[in-house]
Amino acid sequence: MGSSHEQSLSIALPNPIRYYPMGDQAIVLSFGDTLSEALNTQVRKVVACLENWSQPGLIECVPAYTTITIYYDPLTITYQELLSALQMIVQDIPEDTEYKGLKKEIPVYYNGADLAYVAQYNGLTEEEVIRLHSTPEYRVYMIGFVPGFPYMGGMDSRIATPRKEVPRLKIEAGAVGIAGEQTGVYPIETPGGWQIIGHTPQQLFDLTRESPSLLEVGDRVCFVPISYDEFVQQKTKSNGH
């Protein structure tokens, strides 16, 4: 299981897939190097086919923007055995494979500390930033860097803004932010460098729920502007008070 293995395979998808090891307990499927909905759709189709795959030694399948990392038990299956099995299953993916993904609305009170900066950086008014942020339908490309944090693509490039040079030491749960051409929501209190433009009263991560993360990879998300009074009312309801 040396680290020099790297192979390409053309399948019935727009791009060929590259396979390579990550350490001695994981294999990575790479679909390309460009962040796009088309590539992420490829990822989701393959994940949909792997979700019910009963391969001995398979531990976990983790999708990201343009990759899938598959963790396995090297005492049960070798890298080459898993590679061969993956190539066979990927070759047989039907063109009309469907992947799960729900449409969800997230209410946002646009009061973020960086809203004015995002507007100034892009030569817009705050109202224009709000309109441009709340108009698109976003795709959840991956979940990271803390549990339940959704990285979403599909944001209007007119409000794209770089991360902060010096991250904040604390960003509260529910903060809605922008980093480059991505948007996301902080599910728990954590340090972070995204530009905060608003807050949602919804709990994105709750261990007491059957599915702790409100959003999953493949979901489509719309942000809905709300007033301060609506934010307080929904926040109170969300906290169970």
Side-chain angles (χ1 to χ4, degrees):
M1 285 179 280
S3 61
S4 60
H5 294 295
E6 182 167 335
Q7 302 186 30
S8 296
L9 176 67
S10 294
I11 62 173
L13 291 169
N15 290 335
I17 297 176
R18 291 188 301 119
Y19 299 81
Y20 55 89
M22 186 175 73
D24 61 356
Q25 298 182 42
I27 181 171
V28 178
L29 284 66
S30 176
F31 294 75
D33 301 318
T34 304
L35 175 59
S36 71
E37 184 170 341
L39 282 184
N40 195 250
T41 295
Q42 291 185 36
V43 171
R44 296 306 304 153
K45 285 187 175 184
V46 174
V47 168
C49 288
L50 296 178
E51 283 180 339
N52 298 317
W53 191 31
S54 57
Q55 172 65 48
L58 191 68
I59 297 175
E60 187 178 12
C61 178
V62 181
Y65 283 113
T66 61
T67 63
I68 303 171
T69 301
I70 297 176
Y71 295 90
Y72 64 94
D73 179 1
L75 298 179
T76 303
I77 187 170
T78 69
Y79 174 86
Q80 287 294 343
E81 289 171 340
L82 181 58
L83 174 63
S84 298
L86 282 168
Q87 289 176 333
M88 291 191 66
I89 193 173
V90 169
Q91 280 180 321
D92 294 330
I93 293 178
E95 289 285 348
D96 60 349
T97 297
E98 296 184 357
Y99 53 89
K100 65 180 180 180
L102 302 176
K103 185 174 181 178
K104 298 173 181 177
E105 291 186 348
I106 295 182
V108 180
Y109 173 46
Y110 285 94
N111 67 329
D114 302 313
L115 179 60
Y117 174 77
V118 171
Q120 180 183 21
Y121 181 86
N122 290 285
L124 302 168
T125 65
E126 293 183 18
E127 289 72 21
E128 288 172 323
V129 171
I130 295 171
R131 177 178 60 81
L132 292 172
H133 186 264
S134 60
T135 297
E137 180 179 273
Y138 297 90
R139 168 80 68 86
V140 179
Y141 282 158
M142 66 175 288
I143 301 292
F145 65 103
V146 295
F149 188 103
Y151 289 84
M152 290 180 267
M155 192 179 74
D156 195 305
S157 61
R158 287 174 289 179
I159 56 173
T161 311
R163 297 169 182 259
K164 288 185 168 296
E165 293 185 6
V166 179
R168 289 185 174 93
L169 295 178
K170 184 174 70 174
I171 295 180
E172 62 183 296
V176 179
I178 288 175
E181 294 191 13
Q182 302 174 93
T183 190
V185 185
Y186 285 81
I188 60 177
E189 185 179 291
T190 178
W194 290 41
Q195 306 287 351
I196 305 304
I197 61 172
H199 295 83
T200 179
Q202 285 192 331
Q203 286 185 290
L204 264 72
F205 189 78
D206 184 352
L207 286 172
T208 65
R209 294 192 298 237
E210 182 177 353
S211 297
S213 180
L214 177 66
L215 300 177
E216 297 183 6
V217 174
D219 283 348
R220 292 163 291 130
V221 175
C222 292
F223 291 107
V224 180
I226 59 174
S227 67
Y228 172 74
D229 289 341
E230 290 172 316
F231 174 82
V232 172
Q233 183 179 19
Q234 293 184 35
K235 183 75 170 179
T236 301
K237 183 178 179 181
S238 177
N239 290 336
H241 298 307

